Amino acid sequence: MYRAAAAVPFDDPDRVTAGLRGQLRVMAAAAGADPDWSTLRVQGPVRRGAHRGTGLSEWTATVVVTGASPALDDRWIDALGPTVPRRMAATAEMTSPLVDR
């Protein structure tokens, strides 16, 4: 099962679902997996803090996938040595197509 999350300054369930579905699609494609969209579950909004004077709504989505290959985790990266740079943690704001920049 894959999980995606987004914190956005609006409450449009269709727009949020489309964005979260896109994130899940990318994750599944990267692992060679097939999402079962009939299992897609979206939860939210949960109100959190403020962003540029606007309250944020947090949403999450999950989907069951089949055929996923094992992900490359940090233990494998560490074993490869210093030639492989560490992955930078990205915030939802940096990666989400839902946040206007």
Side-chain angles (χ1 to χ4, degrees), residues 10-79:
F10 52 84
D11 288 338
D12 182 344
D14 293 333
R15 187 174 170 193
V16 171
T17 299
L20 290 171
R21 187 176 171 128
Q23 288 181 17
L24 291 165
R25 183 179 295 116
V26 168
M27 293 165 57
D34 295 313
D36 178 358
W37 295 116
S38 69
T39 65
L40 178 66
R41 300 292 178 259
V42 177
Q43 295 180 322
V46 175
R47 308 278 187 258
R48 302 279 185 209
H51 174 72
R52 298 183 186 152
T54 305
L56 290 177
S57 298
E58 290 183 1
W59 299 75
T60 59
T62 57
V63 70
V64 174
V65 298
T66 57
S69 60
L72 184 65
D73 66 21
D74 287 340
R75 290 173 299 182
W76 286 100
I77 292 172
D78 290 341

